[in-house]
Amino acid sequence: MVRAAILPAVGAPLEIRDIVLPDPGPGQVRVRLAAAGVCHSDLSLTNGTMRVPVPAVLGHEGAGTVLAVGEGVTHVAPGDGVVLNWAPSCGQCHHCAMGEVWLCANALTGVGNVHAHDARGTELHPGLNVAAFAEETVVAAGCVLPAPEGIPLAEAALLGCAVLTGYGAVHHSAQVRPGESVAVFGVGGVGLAALQAARVAEAGPVIAVDVSPAKEELARAAGATEFVLAGAEGAARQVRALTGGHGADVAVECVGRAESIRAAWESTRRGGRTTVVGIGGKEQQVTFHALEIFHFARTLTGCVYGNSDPARDLPVIAEHVRAGRMDLGALVTDRIGLDDIPAAFDGMLAGKGGRSLVVFP
C-alpha cells in the first residue's frame, strides 16, 4: 500500500488515499519517488482539457530510485536514480521513423492500462503513463531514464517535463540564435525554464510577460532582462517598444489561452517565429485575418514536449546545470507534500508562483 493522489472523475477534486501497486512484470520498473512537479498538464487532466481514462493516479514529472525491475529490463537496476519520461517513443510509428519522437503515435497508449487498485478494489489508470503523484509507482521500462550524475534527485524531477519543454521550445522549436530577442509569455515552471534556455542561447533582450507583477523577480532571476505585465493595455506594443519597434524575433507562449497566443503573435516581428507551448481547451479560439498572415510573414508553430528527445536532450541540459548555466532549484517556489497538491492546483489557477514540487520523505 502506498499513498497517491487520485482523480476519481473529470471535474472532481483530487483524493489522497492508499493504493495497491502490483510487482513489476516483464518490461516494467518499480520506482520510489523522490519528488514530483505539479504541472498545468495535471490541471488539464482534472478539468477535461486533456482526456485520459479515469479514475487515474495523476503526476507525470518525477524522479526517484529504482526498487525492482521486471524480466528483460537491463538499462536500469535496483538502487539507480531515474527520471520519469511520461511520453516514451515507440521507435516504430511514422513520426518516430521521421525522427519526431515527441509526436510518437503510441506514446500515450499506456494510459489505458490498469496501473493499480484502491483499497476498495477499484481499477486505477496511470494519468500520463507514470503516475508520479504517489510514494511509489510501476512504469514501463521506456518510461525511465538514468538520472544525470551530479544533480539531486528532487531537482532532477523537473527535467521530466518543465525543463525539457521550456528548453526544447527555445532550442528546438524556435531555434533561437545568439543576439535574437525573445519574449516569453507565462512565467510558470515551463516559462521559467524557457527564460533560462533563452539565456543559454545568448538571446537578448529577453522579455518576460505575465499577469502577476509578483513574478518579475522570478523572471529576472531566470534570465529576463525586461518584464511586461500581461493583460495591461498594449502589452504587445510594449514588447515591440523594447525591441526597437519591430517586435521580438521569437515569442514563446506558455499559457494556452486565446488572448495570450494572440498577444504573443502580435509581439512577434515581421518574419519572426511564434511558438505555442501552452495547452488550451477547444473553446480557446484564436483568429487571424488573411491579410495579416500575408503581410507579417510570421511563423506560428505548435510545440509538443519542447520537440525534445529526452534520451538526447537530458545529458545536454544536465551539462548546462552542472556548469551553472541553468538552475533547476530556481524554478521551484514551493516544496510541498502529497496532501498539498490540491492547494497547488489552486495556486496555478490564480497565477501564483513558479513550480510546486512534491518532495517525498
Side-chain angles (χ1 to χ4, degrees):
M1 299 279 279
V2 300
R3 295 179 75 239
I6 298 168
L7 176 66
V10 173
L14 287 186
E15 299 177 1
I16 313 298
R17 59 176 192 255
D18 289 337
I19 65 171
V20 180
L21 278 175
D23 293 328
Q28 292 186 319
V29 180
R30 185 167 183 142
V31 178
R32 171 75 180 181
L33 271 297
V38 181
C39 178
H40 270 274
S41 296
D42 299 307
L43 193 58
S44 295
L45 296 179
T46 68
N47 62 27
T49 298
M50 298 172 64
R51 291 280 183 173
V52 294
V54 290
V57 179
L58 298 190
H60 64 279
E61 179 184 87
T65 303
V66 175
L67 295 178
V69 301
E71 180 182 351
V73 178
T74 58
H75 72 296
V76 294
D80 288 350
V82 292
V83 174
L84 298 181
N85 173 18
W86 64 270
S89 55
C90 70
Q92 299 175 343
C93 71
H94 174 75
H95 290 292
C96 286
M98 297 286 290
E100 300 171 338
V101 298
W102 53 92
L103 298 179
C104 175
N106 300 309
L108 293 180
T109 56
V111 301
N113 295 340
V114 176
H115 172 70
H117 294 81
D118 66 12
R120 299 187 292 268
T122 304
E123 292 182 345
L124 305 172
H125 302 282
L128 282 178
N129 280 329
V130 297
F133 287 166
E135 295 167 331
E136 297 178 15
T137 188
V138 174
V139 299
C143 290
V144 296
L145 295 166
E149 293 184 5
I151 298 177
L153 269 183
E155 294 183 0
L158 302 171
L159 296 172
C161 185
V163 178
L164 272 172
T165 301
Y167 177 89
V170 168
H171 287 269
H172 301 320
S173 180
Q175 298 182 7
V176 174
R177 298 181 290 268
E180 288 194 308
S181 54
V182 175
V184 176
F185 285 73
V187 185
V190 174
L192 288 169
L195 288 169
Q196 290 196 21
R199 180 173 59 191
V200 169
E202 300 179 353
V206 177
I207 305 162
V209 186
D210 199 272
V211 296
S212 171
K215 297 281 190 76
E216 181 170 0
E217 184 176 351
L218 273 176
R220 290 188 182 276
T225 59
E226 310 288 346
F227 183 85
V228 168
L229 195 61
E233 187 67 30
R237 186 169 62 248
Q238 291 183 58
V239 173
R240 292 195 297 272
L242 291 167
T243 52
H246 305 292
D249 295 306
V250 171
V252 180
E253 198 277 349
C254 303
V255 181
R257 295 188 61 84
E259 59 267 29
S260 181
I261 294 170
R262 182 71 207 188
W265 166 265
E266 293 177 356
S267 298
T268 306
R269 70 164 173 85
R270 196 176 185 194
R273 290 102 68 199
T274 306
T275 292
V276 178
V277 180
I279 301 172
K282 294 179 180 179
E283 77 285 356
Q284 296 294 323
Q285 297 289 315
V286 188
T287 60
F288 308 90
H289 60 73
L291 182 59
E292 70 177 305
I293 293 174
F294 161 78
H295 174 75
F296 288 108
R298 297 165 177 146
T299 301
L300 178 66
T301 308
C303 178
V304 177
Y305 207 6
N307 293 10
S308 293
D309 178 348
R312 174 198 66 195
D313 293 329
L314 278 185
V316 175
I317 295 172
E319 183 53 37
H320 287 311
V321 174
R322 288 190 290 264
R325 292 184 290 269
M326 296 187 74
D327 182 358
L328 300 182
L331 274 62
V332 180
T333 51
D334 297 281
R335 294 178 184 260
I336 63 175
L338 200 60
D339 294 302
D340 302 315
I341 295 175
F345 279 8
D346 292 340
M348 281 194 293
L349 283 170
K352 296 180 179 178
R355 207 44 145 208
S356 292
L357 188 67
V358 181
V359 180
F360 295 91

